[in-house]
Amino acid sequence: MAHQAGGQWPAPRPVPETSETQSYLQDYGVLLDAVPFPSLVVDHRWDVVLANDAYATLFGGARPHPTAMPGDNFLRFVLFHPDAGLVLGDHEAGWCLPMLAQFKGAMDAYGHDPELQAIRREIMQDPLMDAAYRQGLPHWIRAVGERGTRLDGAVRLLLHPDPRRGPTECRIVDETPQALRELGCRRLTLVPRDSRAAAPVRRPRRQRAVPAHLTVVPPPES
């Protein structure tokens, strides 16, 4: 498997270090690697517990970052890594706002979690992203409805590093078995669709800082 680390889910807790659990995750990692599409398992913090080779290939070009590597925490990668928009097309509306909605749900359920609190502090440190979270996100949720905030079934744009693939739409599929749910985890797979269905887009230039792109969110009124 490419990586192994340690809605509303059961009470959050670290993946138990029992031999039974570790054996299950090892076998599940074999299953994950047999899937040709990017697939990952995350916990309630969006820490990456497992990811397959296709996922590693998709995000393998990300430059080093102290806190937001895609193999460590997918939420942090989407929000804070300057290279996220090079792979995640329509980055702001297609990925950032939905992931902020996911983060809000996690905070509502597990707000005492120190890792989630640390992410909230990082959001607060950037005025644009903080405004997006506090003022813009409720406005966006009202506009798209609760269904629009869900990841399962959503169609998103990927800019695959393989130039032969180009911009490709993918459907996010949540296929979490009961055993993972009981561990407080979920599995998401990015299933590519016909590349002809994707609208032509230009690859964005490398951005100085991801938060500065949050432009569709109306600024807070003074």
Side-chain angles (χ1 to χ4, degrees):
M1 70 199 93
H3 178 95
Q4 179 171 342
Q8 302 259 335
W9 304 99
R13 58 189 182 276
V15 176
E17 294 291 336
T18 67
S19 58
E20 181 179 358
T21 297
Q22 293 305 311
S23 178
Y24 174 79
L25 290 176
Q26 183 176 7
D27 292 340
Y28 200 86
V30 175
L31 171 64
L32 221 60
D33 271 342
V35 176
F37 311 130
S39 191
L40 72 162
V41 173
V42 296
D43 65 13
H44 69 282
R45 306 178 185 94
W46 288 88
D47 284 342
V48 176
V49 177
L50 297 169
N52 64 3
D53 290 337
Y55 178 89
T57 298
L58 180 63
F59 297 107
R63 291 171 294 175
H65 189 283
T67 64
M69 292 304 291
D72 294 330
N73 185 291
F74 186 72
L75 174 68
R76 283 182 174 275
F77 173 74
V78 174
L79 297 183
F80 303 129
H81 200 295
D83 292 345
L86 300 177
V87 181
L88 306 175
D90 192 20
H91 185 208
E92 179 184 338
W95 295 93
C96 282
L97 288 171
M99 289 304 294
L100 281 174
Q102 293 289 314
F103 174 68
K104 180 181 183 302
M107 285 292 291
D108 290 344
Y110 314 127
H112 63 281
D113 184 276
E115 175 60 23
L116 294 177
Q117 292 175 1
I119 295 173
R120 180 68 185 100
R121 287 192 296 271
E122 288 191 45
I123 291 174
M124 291 174 63
Q125 290 170 3
D126 185 275
L128 287 176
M129 186 169 287
D130 190 47
Y133 182 71
R134 293 187 296 106
Q135 280 91 21
L137 186 61
H139 171 82
W140 179 76
I141 292 175
R142 287 194 297 270
V144 303
E146 290 292 337
R147 184 173 182 178
T149 67
R150 302 172 191 164
L151 291 182
D152 185 33
V155 175
R156 299 286 184 257
L157 184 63
L158 291 177
L159 308 176
H160 201 282
D162 186 341
R164 296 172 297 180
R165 300 191 185 186
T168 304
E169 287 183 337
C170 73
R171 188 177 297 278
I172 302 174
V173 179
D174 187 328
E175 45 184 344
T176 307
Q178 184 63 31
L180 284 182
R181 289 183 185 274
E182 292 174 355
L183 294 174
C185 297
R186 66 194 301 188
R187 175 187 172 188
L188 299 171
T189 300
L190 309 180
V191 182
R193 306 177 77 205
D194 189 337
S195 60
R196 291 173 297 180
V201 298
R202 293 185 302 173
R203 285 184 174 271
R205 292 176 296 176
R206 290 192 181 273
Q207 302 169 9
R208 179 179 59 84
V210 173
H213 66 212
L214 292 171
T215 56
V216 301
V217 177
E221 296 181 1
S222 56

